[in-house]
Amino acid sequence: IDRIQKGETKKEEETYLDLFTTKNIKLKERVLIPVKQYPKFNFVGKILGPQGNTIKRLQEETGAKISVLGKGSMRDKSKEEGLRKGGEPKYAHLSMELHVFIEVFAPVPEAYLRMAHAMEEVKKFLFPV
């Protein structure tokens, strides 16, 4: 209490990465899709590809789980609106900005490597061409 009254913030706990452990860690990142800069471009279609083949290939290549989430990620706009207003935790992402969600589960060095690779690959799809 004294610390807070003096204006000191909570002391951050020091964390270290053990690069030699075989225990898997989970990394999660949200990469914003630039719909505000390019409102007419169909990023969702570009990332997913025909029958979702592009996103499946990306997942296989990078070893990461990749999904397109957020407002505008569903094909049926009225259904999306209904689910968003429903307030279910499963659909909470629908009230966020449109983004690519990348999730990696692997040993520490491998997890960061996969995340970097996945971000690099996803980045290629975020330019309207």
Side-chain angles (χ1 to χ4, degrees):
I1 297 171
D2 295 333
R3 224 179 356 162
I4 294 167
Q5 287 172 342
K6 290 175 187 170
E8 293 175 31
T9 55
K10 195 175 121 188
K11 190 178 178 185
E12 284 190 38
E13 216 177 288
E14 290 184 18
T15 56
Y16 301 96
L17 290 176
D18 181 2
L19 299 180
F20 301 101
T21 184
T22 53
K23 204 176 105 200
N24 289 347
I25 63 162
K26 187 180 268 188
L27 295 177
K28 298 175 185 179
E29 288 299 332
R30 296 180 193 280
V31 179
L32 198 63
I33 296 175
V35 282
K36 285 191 170 84
Q37 291 91 315
Y38 312 102
K40 299 267 186 264
F41 194 78
N42 178 13
F43 288 103
V44 178
K46 187 177 181 181
I47 295 165
L48 295 180
Q51 280 111 37
N53 286 330
T54 306
I55 200 164
K56 285 177 198 162
R57 183 180 50 77
L58 275 175
Q59 290 182 115
E60 285 169 20
E61 279 178 17
T62 61
K65 184 175 183 272
I66 301 170
S67 31
V68 178
L69 301 174
K71 192 174 195 286
S73 59
M74 292 178 75
R75 194 176 274 169
D76 187 345
K77 298 290 171 229
S78 56
K79 187 179 176 187
E80 180 181 310
E81 192 63 30
L83 292 170
R84 195 164 56 82
K85 287 180 177 164
E88 271 187 68
K90 183 181 174 183
Y91 300 109
H93 69 88
L94 293 173
S95 53
M96 296 176 180
E97 294 283 328
L98 187 63
H99 63 278
V100 178
F101 184 65
I102 305 170
E103 200 170 26
V104 176
F105 189 67
V108 177
E110 180 69 19
Y112 282 97
L113 200 65
R114 286 185 193 178
M115 180 59 77
H117 186 207
M119 289 172 131
E120 205 55 50
E121 290 301 309
V122 165
K123 187 179 176 184
K124 295 174 184 173
F125 290 90
L126 302 181
F127 297 102
V129 180

